[in-house]
Amino acid sequence: MFFGGLGIFLFGIKYMGDGLQKVAGERLRDLLDKFTTNPLMGVLAGIVVTVLLQTSTGTTVLTIGLVNAGFMTLKQAIGVIMGANIGTTVTAFIIGIKISEYALPIIAVGAALIFFIKNKKVNNIGQVIFGFGTLFYGLNTMGEGLKPLRELQAFADLTVSMSENPLLGVLIGTIFTAAVQSSSASIGLLQQLYDQGAMDLFAALPVLFGDNIGTTITAVLAAIGASVAAKRAALTHVIFNLIGTIIVLIIIIPFTHFIAYLAEVFALNRPMTIAFAHGIFNVSNTLIQLPFIGILAIIVTKLVPGDDFYIEYKAKHLDPRFVGSSPAIALGQAKQEVLRMAEFSEKGLLEVSKYMENGQKKHAEMAVQFEDAINNLDRKITEYLISISSRSLSAQDSKMHGMLMDTVRDIERIGDHIENIVELKDYQKANKVKISEKALHDLQEMFDLTHSTLTEAIMSLETGDLEAARSVIEKEEHIDQMERKLRKQHIIRVNEGNCTGAAGIVFVDIVSNLERIGDHSVNIAEAVIGENR
């Protein structure tokens, strides 16, 4: 009963967090991007995002991604991680509000919103409500399953040992949280045990501090084999919680008496007492360590040395001041940003080519990161160009404005085709689809030609070189001819039994995506010719 309840509880937390993420959408990333200008704002952003995601690990992973993307520094990331530790206490407070008897009606409401209303937004809200109800239902089932523990002498002896030796409680809390990969679940379990009188406060609080250390294990596991920034962020999470636990263990007796005093004064129920202890511990830990964020950043940088590569998603050249004062300069700025975007597409195509060749996941991840950067710049540049269009432009500037708008759209589509090829390779690997050596050689040849065509299109955009632009058009004709030739050769291989149907689908779709990248390269070249006509 306990393990079934734990499963339902974990599902509820995950399902509710996924629903909240869908409701919030891209705003979570924007929130972390915009409101982490200083460590204090980073803490607040970390709290909000963790409450919405219902997982401090999810916030840490999201933060690592933003550090990788150049959206925030390590110092800002440390602030967010501290905030995530406070945000994760909200689940304990929710559990402290004892509404388990309403769990099934809440689940029924959530299910009704998911299955009987044809509106995506309402469905997402239904998912949050369903997850919320499931969380309490699982918690209730866990509690029922734990009741026999009160009668078990071995467990009673263990709780006495934890009361006398807090380090044992910390160790048990750390191990259990690391095992279930959720501090919310382990703290929920602790609340149930304390509620049933299976352990006293002196035994429960060290386990609570161990839960805080255990929750960092997930981030550590996620950082294995990851970037230097990811490792530093994960290590920060570990050091932050270790320091907090050491501080509170030094004053464990007065801290426990203080929590008991609060429970008496505010007439707190037993689960809410644990929630208050959790909240006070994490808020105090953050307040103590917040002034030392710079030192913490230096320590983790020393402990995890190395230069980290990241793609700078943020626009570098789009200064809004030029839009009003000098639209012509603003257009020049926009062109510089479009060239950065084009460079990302060229590098992304190179990465996906390497992924096709050797199947190494790092190339796929890099290609997808470049595609994300392209999408971000697509939004920023388009907004900037729209703001310029409301100004008075000369005939030449109007032509340039139109050319840049068209080019941004073409580069964004190139990014989509790069992502398509990554997905096709993923499918090939996952389903163990064998592509013949001859087919792989043909694909590599087409990749080289397409990459060369795109590079020349970008060069023509940068320099306005009409010869380079015309060369792109000629090369694209070769790409079209190669596509037709490769399709015919593929049919011959299938007929001769040298190629399977599944391999054929992957092969033809990759060829088709490369041909479309060639088409968009021509569009860029033709836009350059049109602007200079």
Side-chain angles (χ1 to χ4, degrees):
M1 186 178 275
F2 163 70
F3 284 111
L6 177 62
I8 294 168
F9 178 86
L10 288 171
F11 171 78
I13 288 271
K14 175 81 167 63
Y15 200 63
M16 183 167 78
D18 288 348
L20 284 164
Q21 198 167 358
K22 285 176 191 171
V23 171
E26 280 290 311
R27 283 170 289 183
L28 287 180
R29 193 154 117 167
D30 290 343
L31 182 74
L32 285 177
D33 177 26
K34 288 175 186 170
F35 299 104
T36 53
T37 46
N38 61 60
L40 185 59
M41 290 301 290
V43 170
L44 294 174
I47 293 169
V48 173
V49 172
T50 305
V51 169
L52 290 174
L53 288 178
Q54 284 296 298
T55 162
S56 57
T57 305
T59 306
T60 306
V61 169
L62 196 59
T63 304
I64 288 165
L66 289 168
V67 173
N68 273 342
F71 273 112
M72 65 169 71
T73 63
L74 182 62
K75 279 187 187 178
Q76 291 170 325
I78 293 170
V80 175
I81 289 165
M82 288 179 173
N85 267 38
I86 297 173
T88 197
T89 64
V90 171
T91 310
F93 281 101
I94 291 170
I95 293 167
I97 306 163
K98 299 191 77 176
I99 55 171
S100 297
E101 57 266 36
Y102 304 112
L104 288 172
I106 292 168
I107 289 171
V109 170
L113 294 179
I114 293 168
F115 292 108
F116 301 123
I117 296 176
K118 304 294 181 195
N119 181 298
K120 199 71 182 165
K121 202 172 221 177
V122 175
N123 293 160
N124 292 338
I125 293 166
Q127 183 174 337
V128 174
I129 294 168
F130 186 91
F132 186 68
T134 307
L135 179 158
F136 279 102
Y137 186 71
L139 195 68
N140 203 37
T141 309
M142 275 166 65
E144 290 295 318
L146 289 169
K147 277 182 180 174
L149 278 180
R150 284 180 300 183
E151 316 301 326
L152 200 65
Q153 187 58 41
F155 186 77
D157 294 342
L158 179 64
T159 56
V160 170
S161 300
M162 286 192 287
S163 299
E164 293 169 353
N165 183 2
L167 284 174
L168 177 62
V170 171
L171 182 64
I172 289 169
T174 303
I175 292 169
F176 185 77
T177 306
V180 298
Q181 299 274 295
S182 169
S183 61
S184 297
S186 50
I187 291 165
L189 165 65
L190 186 64
Q191 286 173 298
Q192 290 294 310
L193 287 169
Y194 183 58
D195 190 28
Q196 292 172 16
M199 56 181 10
D200 64 13
L201 201 57
F202 278 94
L205 291 188
V207 177
L208 177 68
F209 308 140
D211 292 339
N212 276 276
I213 296 171
T215 195
T216 65
I217 303 298
T218 313
V220 170
L221 292 173
I224 293 170
S227 64
V228 172
K231 286 173 182 163
R232 285 174 181 164
L235 184 59
T236 299
H237 202 187
V238 175
I239 292 172
F240 173 71
N241 282 349
L242 273 175
I243 291 171
T245 301
I246 290 165
I247 291 169
V248 81
L249 283 176
I250 293 167
I251 56 164
I252 184 70
I253 293 171
F255 183 79
T256 307
H257 285 303
F258 174 63
I259 297 298
Y261 170 74
L262 286 180
E264 191 179 334
V265 169
F266 294 107
L268 301 176
N269 63 42
R270 289 170 81 86
M272 191 59 87
T273 302
I274 297 295
F276 261 75
H278 192 208
I280 290 166
F281 167 70
N282 278 306
V283 171
S284 305
N285 191 21
T286 299
L287 290 175
I288 291 166
Q289 295 194 52
L290 191 59
F292 305 104
I293 278 181
I295 296 167
L296 198 52
I298 292 166
I299 291 168
V300 294
T301 304
K302 293 282 184 191
L303 290 173
V304 185
D307 296 319
D308 199 29
F309 171 78
Y310 64 84
I311 301 163
E312 195 167 348
Y313 286 38
K314 275 188 175 177
K316 282 184 172 180
H317 306 96
L318 306 182
D319 192 332
R321 290 173 298 182
F322 289 126
V323 174
S325 59
S326 178
I329 293 175
L331 276 173
Q333 296 287 101
K335 183 178 178 182
Q336 288 304 309
E337 209 58 58
V338 171
L339 285 167
R340 275 190 72 226
M341 187 181 173
E343 188 186 334
F344 286 158
S345 71
E346 186 262 333
K347 287 179 177 174
L349 184 59
L350 200 58
E351 289 296 333
V352 83
S353 169
K354 289 175 184 173
Y355 185 42
M356 274 305 304
E357 193 175 356
N358 57 35
Q360 289 180 8
K361 198 68 185 168
K362 65 178 182 180
H363 296 302
E365 287 167 0
M366 285 301 299
V368 171
Q369 275 195 47
F370 279 121
E371 208 277 327
D372 280 346
I374 288 167
N375 286 341
N376 183 63
L377 288 181
D378 170 41
R379 286 195 300 274
K380 301 295 181 189
I381 296 169
T382 302
E383 286 168 11
Y384 192 72
L385 287 171
I386 288 169
S387 66
I388 294 172
S389 65
S390 62
R391 303 291 165 181
S392 179
L393 299 173
S394 67
Q396 188 59 35
D397 285 346
S398 290
K399 283 175 81 174
M400 184 179 177
H401 183 276
M403 184 270 287
L404 291 175
M405 286 289 278
D406 290 340
T407 301
V408 165
R409 192 164 56 247
D410 280 306
I411 296 168
E412 193 277 327
R413 292 295 297 130
I414 288 169
D416 290 344
H417 290 299
I418 288 168
E419 190 174 32
N420 291 347
I421 297 171
V422 169
E423 288 169 1
L424 286 163
K425 179 65 179 177
D426 285 343
Y427 171 84
Q428 184 224 328
K429 284 176 70 180
N431 293 279
K432 296 183 171 57
V433 175
K434 185 83 174 77
I435 295 179
S436 67
E437 286 298 319
K438 177 70 174 76
L440 285 172
H441 179 267
D442 289 345
L443 279 178
Q444 207 54 53
E445 197 178 324
M446 190 166 182
F447 264 110
D448 293 342
L449 180 57
T450 307
H451 182 259
S452 164
T453 306
L454 177 59
T455 304
E456 202 156 9
I458 295 167
M459 190 187 79
S460 72
L461 175 66
E462 185 174 8
T463 61
D465 187 337
L466 296 180
E467 284 305 312
R470 291 188 188 103
S471 171
V472 169
I473 295 168
E474 287 174 17
K475 281 185 174 179
E476 203 278 328
E477 286 174 8
H478 290 307
I479 291 174
D480 287 347
Q481 288 167 10
M482 186 177 280
E483 187 211 14
R484 288 193 292 271
K485 185 181 86 172
L486 293 186
R487 281 177 183 272
K488 283 176 184 173
Q489 287 178 350
H490 157 67
I491 292 165
I492 292 165
R493 280 195 297 271
V494 170
N495 290 338
E496 290 175 349
N498 297 326
C499 185
T500 64
I505 291 166
V506 172
F507 178 83
V508 169
D509 281 357
I510 292 171
V511 166
S512 179
N513 276 284
L514 289 172
E515 190 273 331
R516 294 296 296 137
I517 291 172
D519 289 345
H520 290 295
S521 302
V522 165
N523 291 347
I524 294 168
E526 285 179 341
V528 171
I529 292 168
E531 193 211 357
N532 287 282
R533 187 171 289 133

